[in-house]
Every structure is written in structure tokens, then in C-alpha cells.
Amino acid sequence: MSLKETFQSKIDPMRNKVRSIVKEYGDQKISDVTVTQAYGGMRGVKCIVTETSALDPFEGIRFRGYNIPQLKEKLPKAPGGEEPLPEGLFYLLLTGDLPTEDNVKEITEEWKKRGELPDYLVKILDAIPADTHPMTQFSAAIVSLQKDSVFSQQYREGISKMEYWDPMYEDVMNLLAKLPRIAAYIYRKSYRNGDHIAADPELDWGGNMAHMLGVTDDPAFTELMRLYLVLHSDHEGGNVSAHTTHLVGSALSDAYYSLAAGMNGLAGPLHGLANQEVLRWVMHLMDELGGVPTKEQLTKYCWDTLNSGQVIPGYGHAVLRQTDPRYMAQRDFSLKHLPDDEIFKAVSALYEVVPPILEEQGKAKNPWPNVDAHSGVILLHYGMKEYDFYTVCFGVSRALGVLSSLIWDRVLGLAIERPKTVTTDWVEEQVKK
Ligand code: CMX
């Protein structure tokens, strides 16, 4: 069965399951909301349903029930490769089933067919000043492609609500196919004098992204890109990029509008942009202290950051209360491929120094590193020294998760989001009752 047929076979059982849960238990509570949560970013309020992944504060992320070591073991790899292929993860996120090698090949081929960038998009990208932040270019490219949205066209033609998922699926496949090329185009345009590299028809989606970026010929970078694109894909539905994509999609905005909105959220320094902030902060530290710093020097540097009212980038998390397993996966990769890298050594030393400092400061609920604390050092090791580009890599990966969810949103006919807001006067009146 093709990916689309497999996916289609999941639709009726899931629709029936959700319908019967809502019908039978619709009035049962699954969460309460406190005043702190209303003012504090809705932390912990259970009010969105996302099927693709779930985050445990201590164990970390599970994609359709599988943790990262299990993914690394069970997802198909490229010939001779050791890291999982992102196409396989997409299959898993979308269908809930582990893919075979053939399932993965089908997606690779499908994305190759759909991957060409239209001329108008190339012109738009060329017209954006090269010193515009890469995330702005990335978001602009995604929303520019909206003119080709199959969903928007079929909606105008009056398609039935039960069929919405089908054009959404087509849009998602078209968009995902193009993202590595868009990313590479932005990179080469902004940092390599517009000297672009054509896609290699022999390569998979992640392998091609590594190839078109053209930072190195080292095959380890190709493997890194595959792993990176798997690790950053999904982190359940409440994080800013996932929630924004879902929220905008709930107005029946198509995949292009929805993903561009999600990417604008990912571009915030408390979310995905933290990966560039980490490297900027670490490189400033290396420059200031000259070479690999001692623990005493690191301690002072961390306290200086905190005392000047800034956060330590790459540390803390809204849900996690342990070291992020995505950090550990990247650390394992580094121990294998770049154990002697000086910046990796500094990042490792920070892993020992920062948590006790954050604990002593007593503000952050989670003193441990998140995914962004580690990704930059590896990209830099292979020659990608332009920190501003890092969040684009995150964005290409995040699209796999949030767009799989968006298709499911259309299958389930999830309603337009419209929570109730209240005023502070109302809160005051309520709590004093
Ligand atoms: N350094 C310094 N202070 C921190 C901190 C850090 N790394 N993490 C949290 N804090 C502070 C918060 O700013 C907050 O301070 P105030 O009370 O003065 O507002 C306090 O500790 C409590 O925050 P929290 O409940 O522990 O954390 P939140 O859920 O509010 O925020 C996050 C989570 C990730 C935004 C925060 O930990 C942070 O700013 N970390 C640094 C930026 C970062 O690494 N972001 C990437 C997250 C992963 C991703 O989405 O990509």
C-alpha cells in the first residue's frame, strides 16, 4: 500500500474513536486552570489533542510511543548509514506505524518528484536582501508558495469537509519536498555568493539537504543532517511552533499559511532561535577567555550572564525536568565523531557547570540542557559557522511533525480555536468570591 492509502486506512477508525469518546465522555474534566496558569503561559493545562508525539517531563519525547534510542534502532537507514532517515520518521508520525525500507523509498522518491522550486519563488528569494535573517527568508518563502495551495483551491471549489484531509496531504507533501531546497537556497545565497548546488537525484531528503548546503564533503555531516532532522521534528503540540501551526490551521488556513506562522514562532529566542543564541554565547565566552575555559571561568561567565538579567541559552524547559534526550543523542554523536573539538569540550564543561548554578539561583524549574544547547557546536564543527542559519535547519525538521499533525487536524475536523479570555478585574472578582 502507498503512504496515502495506508494513511487513508487509518481515517475511519480514528474518526469513530474520537467521535465516540467525545459523545460518551464529552463532559468529563481532564484539566483545571489556576490563576498562575492563566497568566503563566498556560503551562500544564491539558486542552489540545496531538497524536504524533507525547512529552514526559522526566523521560522526554516519544514519537508515536517510540523514544529516541528506539527510533535509532527501528527506523530504516541510508545504505551504509547508521542514523535514521527522516522520511521514516514522517511515515511513523503520520500513520503511527513503523515504516519498511520500501515505505521510506516511496517517500524519498515522492519528495524528489515534488521538490523543484518554482521560478517565481526563486525570484522572490533573490529579491530579499541577503542580510535579511534566514528565518525571515524561510518564512517568506513558505508563505509565497501559498499561491499553489491545493487545499485553498479545492476549498474555493466547494470540497466536502470530510475530504479536507486529501488536499491538505497534497500540500504537505509538496511543501516538505521543497523545504531542504529552500533552506539550501537561502544558505548559499546569503553566505556563499549565490553559488547554488543542484540536488543529487541519488540522495535521500536529509542527505540532499547536506549536499545542497555544501559546507563539507564529510559523510559524517550527511549522517548528522539525517539525525538532526529526526530529532527536531516534533515535541508534542503545546510548544510555540506546533501550537501556532495548529492554531492558524484551525481557521482552515492552508499548510503554507500555517507553517509560515509556526516558523515565525520558532524564530523567537526562547524557542528555536535559542540554538543560534547558544553558539553566539559560547563563542563570546571562548573569545573572552581565550581557548577552552576552566570551570571557575565558566562559573563566573554564567553568573555574569544571569546577573545582567539574561537567560542562559539552551538551558531550562517548559515541560522537561531532566536533560533533554535530544541533547543526549547529539552528545553521543559528538563523542563519536568530534570528541576532541574544543567547542564541544566547552559545551560539555557547561553541562557540568550550569545546572548547579541555575539550581543555586533558584528560578528555573529545570536546570538541565535542552536540544538547543548542543546542536550548534556540531554544525559549526563541520563548517557551518553562520549561527543565524541554525534555526532554519530546526525549521525544516519541525515541519515534519507539525504538518503531520495538521493533516490529522483536517481528518478529525478539529474546530477553529477560540478559548475564552478574561480580564484581570474578572479574575479578581472570581477569586474573591
Ligand atoms: N537561564 C536563566 N533563567 C531561566 C532559565 C535559563 N536558562 N530558564 C528559566 N529561567 C527563569 C525564567 O526566565 C523565569 O524567570 P522569571 O520568573 O524572572 O520570569 C524562571 O526561571 C521560571 O521559568 P521556568 O518556569 O523554569 O521556565 P519557562 O517554562 O517559563 O520557560 C524556557 C522555559 C525554555 C523559555 C526557559 O527555560 C528559557 O528561557 N531558557 C533559555 C532559552 C532556551 O534555551 N530556549 C529553548 C527551549 C527549547 C526550544 O523550544 O527550542
Side-chain angles (χ1 to χ4, degrees), residues 43 269-272 274 306 310-318 321 326 358 361 363-366 370-372 394:
R43 213 62 89 248
L270 294 188
H271 191 19
L306 292 174
Q310 299 169 62
V311 294
I312 296 189
Y315 281 74
H317 199 271
R321 295 295 175 258
R326 299 171 300 172
L358 285 176
Q361 192 205 28
K363 278 171 72 176
K365 293 189 191 67
N366 176 40
N370 60 58
V371 66
D372 297 318
F394 193 157

Side-chain angles (χ1 to χ4, degrees), residues 112-153:
K112 270 182 209 167
K113 276 191 239 151
R114 298 171 187 242
E116 204 66 42
L117 302 187
D119 282 349
Y120 74 83
L121 178 65
V122 171
K123 285 189 186 127
I124 289 171
L125 282 171
D126 285 341
I128 301 176
D131 62 349
T132 304
H133 193 282
M135 279 305 279
T136 314
Q137 300 190 52
F138 190 55
S139 170
I142 292 166
V143 86
S144 301
L145 284 168
Q146 191 280 334
K147 117 183 172 48
D148 295 327
S149 167
V150 184
F151 178 84
S152 288
Q153 191 190 328

